[in-house]
Amino acid sequence: MKSIRSKITATYLALALTIVVGVSILIAWKLESYVTEQLVQDLGRQADWVYYSLQRDSSMTFAQIDQQIRRVAGLENLRLTLIADDGRLIDDSDVPLEQVPQVENHLHRPEVQQALAESLGWNIRHSATVGRDFLYVARSITAPRTGGMARDVGFVRLSMPLEDVRDRMNSLRAIVAIVGFLTLIVVIGVSVLISQRISHPIVEIARAVEQIRSGDFDVRIGVTSDDETGKLAGAINELVQKLKADIVQMRKLEKVRSEFLGNVSHELRTPIFAIQGFIETLLNGAVDDRSVNRTFLERARSNANRLNALLEDLINISQIESGEMKMSFRYFNANDFIEGVVRDFQDQGRQSRIEVSASCNTPRDQEVLGDRDRLRQVLNNLIDNGLKYNVEGGTVVVSTESLGDKIRVSVKDSGVGIPPEHVNRIFERFYRVDKDRSREVGGTGLGLAIVKHIVEAHESTIEVSSEPGKGSTFSFTLRT
């Protein structure tokens, strides 16, 4: 498999070769056209000079003119032809003088016809007269004519052997080829450097991605340019960082899930086994023993209630964490709400010799925004915990105080308190400070986790302050 560097280099080389060859061909063609045009113009000027020379000395005989024409043509390595207005050949430097009258009429030669129309005409072709290829340039004589032989000249034609023209063209082609080759060498060198510069960060990114694919999430791509490659490297680095965090979170969630399943299994197993034990004991004969049958049934019912409470809490925590539990926010009277919840627990408190009371320090008509049913669930869990982990003769006080556009709701108990090392973990599912006492009082281990989620859904935070042996205070705020 070809590397991206070789692909980029090959692409640049192919592009460079195409451009250089194309430009070289274009330049060569342009130069050939320019040289041909210059030759035509030069030969045209020489034709003017030849006619001027003939016209200047009108006393020359035909033999003298022929001799001069052949001498000029020999010096310039040209073929010089004098043509009459009607196309008749007057003289030709490459044709013996005695054969001139036998040469066919030149009036319809392309260069002569063009000269008639444009004063100057040219053509490249093979000469049937002398058997060679020539560049022909004919000049039409439009100047006033004097006496002598010059008065019969209608056209002066100069011809250059095509071999000379081709030699000049080949020289130009050679120069263009050399310049093109040197340009190609330079372009190849630049292409290689550019391809390396372009491919290097891509190669680095590919190498890093391969390491990432192999599971190395600590790799970082060191491309810091401001172009798209740098942005890609930065995006990959951010993606890897997020992926690493997600993997850590996933592993943590997997651990939590495993612990959750273990805790659920354990919490379910305890009351189920207890219920099974009591029922089996009753079936084995204790149902007829009045001294124990009612006790066993009461214990079975207690464990069934505990199992039902656990299942309800599991459903609640599942709905909350999955987002299925919808909140219904309404305004309601804060004091009436607090006092109503407290009244529901006062009988239970008296049975445990614990005073449950309300201390509302907010205006009587103060309203708050929230889900009344879910907030009742919060207070129920907090007050229930305050009763379970309290001492005989203790207190549980639910209070409110104004905080600008909010009120603070607090549940304070005079119970056993929470050791400092446990405070940050009590809102975890199934976390218990005192496992033996929690099971003894019938807690599910999910109450505070449910409290935390509901309070956060009200854009607040559950706060706790506690001191072992002196009780705990849980508080949160509600918008007014």
Side-chain angles (χ1 to χ4, degrees):
M1 182 177 66
K2 291 184 177 180
S3 66
I4 189 169
R5 179 175 298 176
S6 63
K7 291 180 180 179
I8 294 176
T9 302
T11 301
Y12 268 106
L13 291 181
L15 181 62
L17 182 62
T18 302
I19 293 175
V20 171
V21 171
V23 170
S24 298
I25 292 173
L26 180 62
I27 290 175
W29 177 72
K30 286 289 186 181
L31 284 174
E32 289 179 10
S33 299
Y34 175 77
V35 169
T36 301
E37 183 179 348
Q38 291 300 311
L39 285 174
V40 170
Q41 295 297 328
D42 288 344
L43 291 176
R45 284 190 290 271
Q46 290 187 47
D48 290 336
W49 177 81
V50 168
Y51 181 75
Y52 172 75
S53 299
L54 293 175
Q55 193 180 39
R56 185 179 56 181
D57 190 356
S58 60
S59 62
M60 286 190 300
T61 64
F62 183 78
Q64 289 174 330
I65 290 176
D66 179 68
Q67 185 178 5
Q68 184 175 348
I69 287 175
R70 295 179 189 276
R71 184 171 61 252
V72 171
L75 290 173
E76 298 294 336
N77 193 28
L78 298 172
R79 178 185 175 189
L80 201 160
T81 307
L82 301 180
I83 305 171
D85 288 328
D86 58 2
R88 177 176 47 84
L89 199 66
I90 297 175
D91 200 2
D92 193 308
S93 62
D94 283 10
V95 178
L97 188 58
E98 64 276 8
Q99 296 180 10
V100 168
Q102 302 172 12
V103 177
E104 64 180 314
N105 191 285
H106 279 39
L107 183 62
H108 297 291
R109 294 288 193 269
E111 66 276 7
V112 175
Q113 288 295 308
Q114 187 178 0
L116 275 172
E118 303 175 12
S119 177
L120 183 68
W122 68 279
N123 186 246
I124 296 177
R125 68 176 185 278
H126 182 77
S127 173
T129 304
V130 298
R132 297 171 68 189
D133 293 334
F134 285 91
L135 166 63
Y136 294 95
V137 177
R139 168 70 77 183
S140 174
I141 304 303
T142 58
R145 304 178 190 180
T146 59
M149 292 293 295
R151 69 175 180 272
D152 296 328
V153 177
F155 303 92
V156 176
R157 189 182 70 176
L158 291 175
S159 309
M160 175 181 286
L162 207 56
E163 292 85 353
D164 295 343
V165 178
R166 287 171 178 165
D167 287 343
R168 294 191 186 187
M169 297 300 183
N170 289 335
S171 298
L172 289 174
R173 291 191 186 101
I175 293 173
V176 171
I178 292 172
V179 173
F181 177 75
L182 294 177
T183 303
L184 184 61
I185 294 298
V186 173
V187 171
I188 289 174
V190 173
S191 299
V192 171
L193 291 176
I194 292 176
S195 64
Q196 289 178 345
R197 185 172 181 179
I198 293 175
S199 63
H200 177 71
I202 298 177
V203 171
E204 289 295 316
I205 291 173
R207 185 182 297 114
V209 170
E210 185 63 29
Q211 289 179 261
I212 294 169
R213 192 172 68 88
S214 301
D216 184 4
F217 296 102
D218 294 322
V219 66
R220 289 294 176 272
I221 303 173
V223 179
T224 57
S225 60
D226 295 331
D227 56 12
E228 288 76 5
T229 306
K231 293 178 181 178
L232 175 61
I236 293 176
N237 285 337
E238 291 179 8
L239 182 62
V240 172
Q241 188 67 23
K242 186 176 183 300
L243 183 61
K244 183 179 179 180
D246 289 344
I247 290 175
V248 172
Q249 182 66 17
M250 184 176 65
R251 289 174 179 170
K252 182 179 179 180
L253 290 175
E254 180 63 24
K255 182 179 179 182
V256 170
R257 186 187 69 84
S258 178
E259 292 177 352
F260 177 74
L261 290 176
N263 287 326
V264 169
S265 299
H266 180 76
E267 294 295 334
L268 291 173
R269 189 182 299 117
T270 301
I272 290 174
F273 283 175
I275 292 172
Q276 287 177 334
F278 292 131
I279 292 175
E280 288 176 1
T281 302
L282 291 170
L283 291 175
N284 288 334
V287 68
D288 297 323
D289 188 346
R290 291 188 174 184
S291 62
V292 295
N293 56 7
R294 186 174 182 83
T295 302
F296 282 1
L297 288 173
E298 289 288 347
R299 290 180 180 178
R301 183 178 65 178
S302 175
N303 279 278
N305 291 336
R306 179 181 173 186
L307 182 61
N308 182 62
L310 176 59
L311 290 175
E312 286 183 357
D313 282 351
L314 284 173
I315 292 171
N316 284 331
I317 198 71
S318 175
Q319 289 178 335
I320 291 172
E321 293 185 349
S322 66
E324 294 179 4
M325 179 177 285
K326 305 301 180 182
M327 298 288 176
S328 178
F329 289 87
R330 297 286 188 277
Y331 280 98
F332 57 89
N333 187 282
N335 291 358
D336 291 346
F337 172 68
I338 298 294
E339 292 169 354
V341 174
V342 168
R343 281 195 298 271
D344 292 342
F345 279 91
Q346 285 177 337
D347 287 342
Q348 182 180 340
R350 281 191 288 270
Q351 292 176 7
S352 303
R353 297 183 181 180
I354 298 172
E355 182 183 357
V356 181
S357 62
S359 176
C360 296
N361 301 308
T362 51
R364 190 71 224 174
D365 59 350
Q366 180 69 67
E367 290 191 339
V368 293
L369 179 65
D371 186 317
R372 188 186 184 101
D373 292 335
R374 296 304 170 191
L375 289 174
R376 178 179 289 275
Q377 192 175 359
V378 168
L379 291 180
N380 286 348
N381 281 328
L382 294 177
I383 296 173
D384 188 57
N385 282 345
L387 292 171
K388 289 176 180 176
Y389 299 98
N390 217 312
V391 294
E392 187 174 341
T395 59
V396 176
V397 180
V398 183
S399 62
T400 60
E401 62 175 319
S402 297
L403 297 174
D405 60 347
K406 297 179 180 179
I407 69 164
R408 182 189 300 277
V409 180
S410 302
V411 178
K412 182 178 181 180
D413 66 67
S414 59
V416 296
I418 305 169
E421 64 272 18
H422 296 285
V423 170
N424 291 331
R425 300 194 62 188
I426 59 175
F427 296 101
E428 296 177 12
R429 293 174 298 183
F430 296 112
Y431 187 81
R432 302 176 188 272
V433 176
D434 186 342
K435 294 181 175 60
D436 292 335
R437 177 161 184 170
S438 295
R439 292 193 176 93
E440 180 182 339
V441 298
T444 65
L446 294 172
L448 290 180
I450 293 173
V451 166
K452 176 176 179 291
H453 284 294
I454 294 176
V455 169
E456 288 178 349
H458 285 74
E459 298 180 357
S460 183
T461 303
I462 185 72
E463 298 176 355
V464 57
S465 61
S466 183
E467 185 177 347
K470 294 185 179 181
S472 305
T473 300
F474 292 83
S475 61
F476 58 92
T477 60
L478 294 174
R479 288 184 295 169
T480 60

